[in-house]
Amino acid sequence: MDSFLNAVVSVWNVIDLPIVIFLMLNVFLITASLLVYAERKVSAFIQERNGPNRVGPGGILQSFADVFKLMFKENIVPTQGNPFIHSLAPVLMVVIAMSTGALIPWARTPSGGALAIADIGVGLLVVLAMTSVTVYGVTLAGWSSNSKYSLLGGLRSSAQMISYELAMGAAALSVVLYSGSLSLFDIVESQDHLGSFFGWNLFRNPVGFVVFAVCALAETNRAPFDLPEAEQELVGGYHTEYSGMKFGMFFLAEYVNLWVASLIVTTLFLGGYLVPGQSLMVEYLGLGGVLLTLLGVLMVLLKTSFIAFCFIWIRWTLPRFKYNQLMNLGWKYMLPIAIANILVVAALVGLWQFFVVY
């Protein structure tokens, strides 16, 4: 009997990670469909419309109906385009978007570790590296379509992502100065030292939060930073020549990127899985174990949903920038502000350590 139980435990240890990865992928797919529904409802509310209200209760199944529609659409590849790269680009976008979520810590496990698929010491560095690779999918899509509209959209996206990655990396560096670590788990834990939500980086580093949030919005190519698509100028930008499920994969990647960007903002600046006053509840109320883990997952979902709602709200409120305004904002304002913020945060951390030591 003991040997049988040991065999079951060994098999479970092998298949445990694949099951978690499978569940995470399906969660991302469902989340993307819910975000599409949320965006339609929020935009309808802002514009005093009803939004989806036919398919399913309150129209909640409309996103799934759209997926089935795209599945039966004809797959069109431009005659003079590159078929292989044309098919590879949307796959690259989706794979990168979903892979980034593997590094996000969702909660503190009962044993005190991080509930994440991959908890590595340089998690923040890997996240920034993976998000920067997204530009290859957009650029390849624009080039392989052999269309001037697609090519212009790909070139715009390349310039835009490169411009805003610098400021976003600088804002992330200011968070690292507070935590002293590149591990996303350590960054979350470093925000629990004041015993309340005032220890979150949102309050310790508000300038970094604003810069990072703006750059994350630009990295996802959403309005008012949707210059790579710009329907009035470029028809549809880099996905002008896409149809069927390939277009659906670009659509999926956009909303997965929106969710991942919201997760990263939550992790770096909103305390991640931390409950307001968590250290006090652990010390005086004995909060811990599975309950603390479940509360952590719930807090991540609530905070991330709020950030995603703000991104949707911004899209349907602000008009699109002109291209020169987009570049000016990135190079003349975001980057200098982010660099100045690093110097200020470094000075504050240095002074704090000096007074603590001496």
Side-chain angles (χ1 to χ4, degrees), residues 298-328:
L298 178 62
M299 291 305 298
V300 171
L301 292 176
L302 289 177
K303 295 173 184 177
T304 306
S305 299
F306 175 73
I307 296 297
F309 165 74
C310 291
F311 283 172
I312 294 173
W313 185 7
I314 290 172
R315 174 179 180 177
W316 295 101
T317 305
L318 300 179
R320 182 186 301 126
F321 289 120
K322 293 191 296 183
Y323 195 71
N324 63 319
Q325 294 174 331
L326 180 80
M327 291 292 107
N328 286 338

Side-chain angles (χ1 to χ4, degrees), residues 20 36 59 62 65 100 102 110 134 137 168 174 200 216 219 222-223 230 232 258-259 306 308 325 327 346:
V20 173
V36 174
Q62 182 64 54
T100 309
T134 307
M168 186 167 70
S174 65
W200 298 351
E219 289 283 297
R222 291 177 57 83
Q232 293 84 351
L258 171 64
W259 183 250
F306 175 73
Q325 294 174 331
M327 291 292 107

